[in-house]
Amino acid sequence: MDYLPLFFKLTKQNVLLVGGGNVALRKARLLCRSGADVTVISHHVCEELQQLLDENNGLSITGEYHAGLLEGKILTIAATDDDDLNERVHYDSVERNIPVNVVDNPKLCTFVFPAIVDRSPVVIGISSGGSAPVLARLLRARLETWIPKSYGKLASIANHFRDRVKAKFSTVDQRRIFWENVLQGQIAEKVFTGREAEATQLIEEKIAHEDPDHQTGEVYLVGGGPGDPELLTFKALRLMQQADIVLYDALVSEAVLDLCRRDADLVFVGKKRDNHTVPQEGINELLVKHAQLGKRVVRLKGGDPFIFGRGGEELETLKANNIPFQVVPGITAASACSTYSGIPLTHRNYAQSVKFVTGQLKNRTTDLNFDELVHPNQTVVFYMGLHTLPTLSQKLIEHGKPGDTPAAIVSRGTSADQKVLTGTLETLSSLQEQAQLPAPALIIVGEVVSLHENLSWFGDEVIAQNLSPVKAEH
Ligand code: SAH
């Protein structure tokens, strides 16, 4: 580390700024924002700079720089285009142990200005040590979009309660857990959505009622999307990065899992077909147990947690145990597979509605209402239907859906090995018998499937061409 980042209190401190042009103006703005008393020395001071100084208790001296001006100053900035002068300012300052910055000349700087993300009182400084200021600025732009604007408000609210929290929670660990919960949980979310009064009220209650030895954590039920990490929401990512423990399903991709906080415990609780690793009740209990230990628990599910995800049941258990929770939507397989295969789920000419249906059939008999699924002008999407495809197709045809209705399987949607197999209700099962596309896979039935040929964009293989469609016998 070539520079140690420090934050300098400049309120009412005397700073010398050598130079009176635009570059000096930019530095003067920063100095004034931090409350410094700025003295500018230059042969000419531009109008805007003069105005800024007038408004901020500053002073401008028209004339020649001399070392005597450094008397009583605690920082010096040289912002002139005269190299000799800049060098003199540097040496004079160093001789007097005054930190000095010569703009755009890292060699003559004993301190540098970082790129700043200002969420006062929270301030982030990013520095490349003068070697690549543009890189630091690009990084700043990223942080600007990532850090909620109201972070500063959150800090002010926290400050307001600081002493009272210290009085109630006597150990550093108790306070850490308290503040982590406040600053990352439900209360912070309230501030971010502009409900500060509610947030303040919740902190009051937390201080009044919380048992310092048994602080309750929180559960985030997060939709991890179909696999491609770029399809996560910002909120999912933020919560994943503050997890103490992550309970995840088989459908959550490695790439998504990689984005969880480095030191979070990752626990697989996935279910594969006919092979239940942790029964649902066990998962519900685990969520409650870890939250009661004061942890921030992320329950990470493939796709969307409220679409064939049993998310509702998990929340009911949490609710019954008074555990606070948040739910973050994810991109569900139907959305992901449809967009990535170029099969719109609705279309003015082909489908005015879409149904998401489970293809899992209990005891090989079906509790689906097939009469409803055969209506024209609708798209039917089957989740978990790969193994029951022959039965599903047969039943749809029996109930009146034309056998030549286009149908597709989208396998491992959005991943690099996504594959799409298209055929008709009559042919799709036999095509799949030959193609053996792997799970997870989604089945789309309806006229919209015919658009795939034209709208496919994600570079998946066209598989059906090499297979011989055999009409199923019904
Ligand atoms: N909650 C999930 C669905 C869980 S049910 C969601 O909203 O997407 C599991 C079924 O989802 C699988 O059997 C499969 O039909 C479908 N599925 C999930 N991810 C998929 C993917 N990447 N590609 C194709 N189908 C997928």
Side-chain angles (χ1 to χ4, degrees):
M1 194 157 63
D2 291 332
Y3 293 83
L4 177 69
L6 298 169
F7 290 84
F8 218 121
K9 179 114 179 146
L10 282 185
T11 322
K12 298 264 166 256
Q13 300 292 326
N14 291 314
V15 175
L16 183 67
L17 177 57
V18 185
N22 275 329
V23 181
L25 172 65
R26 282 207 300 276
K27 295 299 177 207
R29 282 204 184 107
L30 274 177
L31 294 168
C32 289
R33 247 164 74 188
S34 60
D37 287 344
V38 182
T39 301
V40 168
I41 171 74
S42 178
H43 285 295
H44 174 74
V45 174
C46 74
E47 208 175 303
E48 251 183 289
L49 177 54
Q50 186 59 55
Q51 197 181 340
L52 184 76
L53 293 171
D54 292 345
E55 288 165 2
N56 290 280
N57 205 26
L59 176 69
S60 70
I61 305 169
T62 314
E64 189 81 26
Y65 161 84
H66 59 92
L69 291 165
L70 291 169
E71 189 71 35
K73 304 294 188 297
I74 65 152
L75 276 186
T76 318
I77 291 140
T80 79
D81 46 17
D82 177 341
D83 290 343
D84 293 339
L85 174 57
N86 286 342
E87 208 162 309
R88 261 179 60 213
V89 176
H90 167 83
Y91 287 113
D92 290 346
S93 303
V94 169
E95 209 176 330
R96 289 162 179 78
N97 289 323
I98 302 172
V100 56
N101 176 281
V102 176
V103 177
D104 272 345
N105 194 338
K107 282 200 193 100
L108 296 183
C109 291
T110 65
F111 75 92
V112 290
F113 282 90
I116 294 170
V117 181
D118 188 359
R119 298 284 186 278
S120 287
V122 176
V123 175
I124 302 170
I126 305 148
S127 163
S128 65
S131 52
V134 175
L135 201 65
R137 281 205 290 279
L138 289 177
L139 210 64
R140 182 192 66 180
R142 282 194 179 198
L143 289 173
E144 286 281 3
T145 56
W146 184 63
I147 300 171
K149 289 277 177 238
S150 33
Y151 237 70
K153 275 200 193 108
L154 190 60
S156 307
I157 293 175
N159 189 34
H160 178 73
F161 287 102
R162 227 177 123 158
D163 292 340
R164 281 168 58 195
V165 172
K166 206 164 178 179
K168 161 119 189 203
F169 300 91
S170 49
T171 73
V172 173
D173 264 352
Q174 287 173 348
R175 290 200 290 276
R176 179 185 57 81
I177 293 174
F178 178 89
W179 283 122
E180 280 182 357
N181 284 341
V182 167
L183 298 176
Q184 305 183 104
Q186 190 194 15
I187 294 172
E189 298 299 325
K190 293 231 184 268
V191 176
F192 298 155
T193 50
R195 291 179 296 179
E196 287 157 46
E198 276 177 55
T200 309
Q201 176 67 26
L202 282 172
I203 300 183
E204 293 278 3
E205 286 168 18
K206 209 168 159 61
I207 295 174
H209 303 303
E210 194 132 292
D211 173 354
D213 293 323
H214 297 99
Q215 297 189 58
T216 311
E218 193 171 9
V219 175
Y220 311 128
L221 179 57
V222 175
D228 178 349
E230 284 202 70
L231 296 175
L232 284 170
T233 60
F234 285 142
K235 186 157 181 172
L237 188 61
R238 186 154 57 75
L239 297 179
M240 282 158 63
Q241 296 202 335
Q242 63 195 38
D244 296 311
I245 179 164
V246 180
L247 308 182
Y248 67 98
D249 276 350
L251 278 177
V252 175
S253 73
E254 283 284 317
V256 167
L257 217 50
D258 266 355
L259 294 174
C260 291
R261 194 164 69 110
R262 283 268 165 262
D263 44 1
D265 288 334
L266 303 180
V267 181
F268 178 68
V269 293
K271 281 167 265 171
K272 298 220 168 75
R273 218 171 55 90
D274 303 329
N275 171 21
H276 286 227
T277 313
V278 181
Q280 186 63 47
E281 304 72 48
I283 298 175
N284 299 353
E285 280 164 27
L286 274 177
L287 292 173
V288 172
K289 185 183 104 184
H290 287 292
Q292 282 176 339
L293 288 170
K295 294 188 185 168
R296 281 155 303 163
V297 186
V298 164
R299 173 70 176 108
L300 191 55
K301 285 175 176 284
D304 182 279
F306 276 5
I307 294 181
F308 303 123
R310 303 189 72 170
E313 294 164 50
E314 295 177 8
L315 296 190
E316 277 161 7
T317 314
L318 296 173
K319 188 84 193 167
N321 285 276
N322 272 327
I323 311 269
F325 59 79
Q326 299 185 52
V327 190
V328 183
I331 293 187
T332 190
S335 254
C337 293
S338 118
T339 49
Y340 272 61
S341 63
I343 303 178
L345 293 179
T346 65
H347 186 284
R348 271 165 68 102
N349 302 339
Y350 302 112
Q352 280 70 49
S353 68
V354 54
K355 279 205 165 77
F356 295 176
V357 184
T358 170
Q360 231 171 24
L361 307 172
K362 286 181 199 152
N363 307 323
R364 306 242 168 259
T365 60
T366 169
D367 38 12
L368 288 179
N369 182 348
F370 281 97
D371 286 333
E372 262 193 4
L373 302 181
V374 298
H375 292 166
N377 302 325
Q378 74 173 345
T379 307
V380 181
V381 178
F382 289 99
Y383 286 70
M384 298 170 280
L386 198 56
H387 296 269
T388 51
L389 176 61
T391 318
L392 293 172
S393 316
Q394 187 192 334
K395 290 275 179 197
L396 287 170
I397 292 171
E398 273 173 28
H399 284 75
K401 194 87 185 161
D404 61 358
T405 307
I409 297 175
V410 183
S411 160
R412 302 202 168 153
T414 77
S415 71
D417 58 350
Q418 165 176 309
K419 290 198 172 66
V420 181
L421 179 60
T422 56
T424 66
L425 263 190
E426 263 169 341
T427 61
L428 195 62
S429 296
S430 77
L431 290 173
Q432 164 62 0
E433 241 172 66
Q434 300 166 63
Q436 292 291 321
L437 296 192
L442 202 77
I443 297 158
I444 307 177
V445 179
E447 298 298 329
V448 286
V449 170
S450 61
L451 294 162
H452 166 72
E453 205 181 333
N454 196 24
L455 301 184
S456 154
W457 60 273
F458 186 57
D460 41 42
E461 285 173 52
V462 179
I463 298 158
Q465 275 174 2
N466 308 323
L467 307 172
S468 44
V470 182
K471 287 192 180 181
E473 288 180 19
H474 300 292

